[in-house]
Amino acid sequence: MTPADRSTTRRRLLTAAAALSGTALLGGTATAHAAGTHGAAWPTAFPLPYGFQPEGIAIGTRPFAYFGSLANGDVHRASLATGRGSVVVRGLGAGHPTVGLKIDPQGRLFLAGGASGEIRVADARTGETEQVYATGGAFVNDVILTPGAAWFTDSFAARLHKLVLGRDGAPRAVETVPLGGDWVQGDDFTANGIERTPDGSALLVVNAFADGGRLMRVDPGTGAARTVDLGTARLPNGDGLLLLGRTLYAVQQAQNAVDVFRLNAAGTRGTAVARITDPRFRIPTTAAAWGDRLYLPNARFDVEPTPGTEYDVVAVDRV
């Protein structure tokens, strides 16, 4: 499939399924749960409901993974120890997908609403959708939590959506931060995954369009973007990002791979150190970590989704 075909296919499937600079403000280095905290018998793959259409994954402070549905916005929670799970948040129906998602220590789920242009906040314990914000965005794709805000990418516009959080972590209001500097906006999917720099001073955003696919470092106060020096590496199919210490995992969904980089503290430079592949990958989109494993949902963007389409999650070893 050509890059144009792949982009068109992904857009069709998704649509159909559908300042703060400074370590003190963005928070410090992201950390993983201690390696070896799962048993050897924990499954390395488990199914999701038929027809679920997963895209995003989030793991909080307990060994449970949360997955969003492109079909109707449902959130499914699964035990990493057994693979068994159930829907804990009912979506708002067709046209209101859940793409990227994150969970905070209070059990709040921050949900990117894709082509609906929505940001939603739900309670994972009660299943209640507590807030729905209409951003006017064309495609709200992915999200990262910082101490003062939840930041969302917009794939079809040169901007980020900033959901301001109170001191208690409760959501307040949405602001828009235009992207400038080195940012180049394409005609199709451009911004995708989002993370923080290792020192917490800025944001990292995948730009799948610029120069064959670049990682951008964004000043959250001004929106100014600068290209991260990754040498000759490119992210043409870059999707979800996961930062563990100074190690950045970038899921390259259509390549069925996860590219691994070692970043400097400021996130201005990185060195490619590994590529993770697995025969079980069927277009993984995002990754989350528990112990010494990465967990990735297979989105299967290469097939037409039906109510009977099988979806699953696979676990691989961290680098």
Side-chain angles (χ1 to χ4, degrees), residues 263-281:
L263 302 180
N264 65 350
T268 58
R269 299 187 309 277
T271 302
V273 296
R275 166 168 277 199
I276 302 171
T277 60
D278 193 288
R280 301 170 299 163
F281 284 169

Side-chain angles (χ1 to χ4, degrees), residues 249 256-260 274-278 281 294 316-317 319:
Y249 296 86
N256 284 316
V258 182
D259 286 336
V260 187
R275 166 168 277 199
I276 302 171
T277 60
D278 193 288
F281 284 169
L294 302 180
V316 298
D317 291 338
V319 171

Side-chain angles (χ1 to χ4, degrees), residues 34-128:
T37 54
H38 56 69
W42 287 22
T44 58
F46 52 86
L48 291 172
Y50 289 109
F52 187 76
Q53 298 182 46
E55 211 277 356
I57 180 175
I59 297 176
T61 57
R62 301 175 61 203
F64 293 91
Y66 296 81
F67 304 90
S69 170
L70 299 176
N72 58 13
D74 282 356
V75 177
H76 177 91
R77 181 179 67 187
S79 165
L80 301 180
T82 66
R84 293 191 293 270
S86 62
V87 171
V88 293
V89 177
R90 291 291 177 187
L92 302 183
H96 300 271
T98 294
V99 192
L101 72 165
K102 289 293 185 291
I103 187 167
D104 73 5
Q106 289 73 43
R108 298 186 191 93
L109 286 162
F110 295 80
L111 311 176
S116 72
E118 296 167 347
I119 290 172
R120 301 191 299 273
V121 182
D123 189 324
R125 298 161 297 186
T126 67
E128 180 184 359

Side-chain angles (χ1 to χ4, degrees), residues 16-291:
L20 294 181
S21 293
T23 301
L25 293 175
L26 281 184
T29 301
T31 58
H33 301 283
T37 54
H38 56 69
W42 287 22
T44 58
F46 52 86
L48 291 172
Y50 289 109
F52 187 76
Q53 298 182 46
E55 211 277 356
I57 180 175
I59 297 176
T61 57
R62 301 175 61 203
F64 293 91
Y66 296 81
F67 304 90
S69 170
L70 299 176
N72 58 13
D74 282 356
V75 177
H76 177 91
R77 181 179 67 187
S79 165
L80 301 180
T82 66
R84 293 191 293 270
S86 62
V87 171
V88 293
V89 177
R90 291 291 177 187
L92 302 183
H96 300 271
T98 294
V99 192
L101 72 165
K102 289 293 185 291
I103 187 167
D104 73 5
Q106 289 73 43
R108 298 186 191 93
L109 286 162
F110 295 80
L111 311 176
S116 72
E118 296 167 347
I119 290 172
R120 301 191 299 273
V121 182
D123 189 324
R125 298 161 297 186
T126 67
E128 180 184 359
T129 297
E130 297 179 332
Q131 284 95 16
V132 179
Y133 300 91
T135 67
F139 198 96
V140 184
N141 195 325
D142 207 353
V143 54
I144 186 67
L145 298 179
T146 71
W151 293 86
F152 295 79
T153 55
D154 192 329
S155 292
F156 294 147
R159 60 190 174 191
L160 299 177
H161 302 292
K162 173 188 171 186
L163 176 55
V164 178
L165 304 178
R167 291 187 177 182
D168 58 353
R172 296 290 186 256
V174 175
E175 302 174 358
T176 298
V177 178
L179 294 170
D182 293 344
W183 191 266
V184 180
Q185 185 67 31
D187 294 331
D188 210 296
F189 274 81
T190 301
N192 205 322
I194 185 169
E195 254 291 359
R196 291 180 291 170
T197 57
D199 65 3
S201 64
L203 300 166
L204 298 170
V205 179
V206 172
N207 185 315
F209 174 79
D211 192 23
R214 287 288 198 170
L215 183 66
M216 299 285 183
R217 183 184 187 276
V218 177
D219 183 323
T222 66
R226 295 292 178 263
T227 302
V228 177
D229 181 4
L230 298 179
T232 60
R234 295 292 184 271
L235 301 174
N237 310 121
D239 202 324
L241 297 177
L242 174 66
L243 182 71
L244 302 176
R246 292 193 184 183
T247 302
L248 181 72
Y249 296 86
V251 182
Q252 296 257 51
Q253 35 114 327
Q255 297 182 17
N256 284 316
V258 182
D259 286 336
V260 187
F261 301 91
R262 179 71 172 175
L263 302 180
N264 65 350
T268 58
R269 299 187 309 277
T271 302
V273 296
R275 166 168 277 199
I276 302 171
T277 60
D278 193 288
R280 301 170 299 163
F281 284 169
R282 294 186 292 179
I283 308 190
T285 45
T286 49
W290 183 271

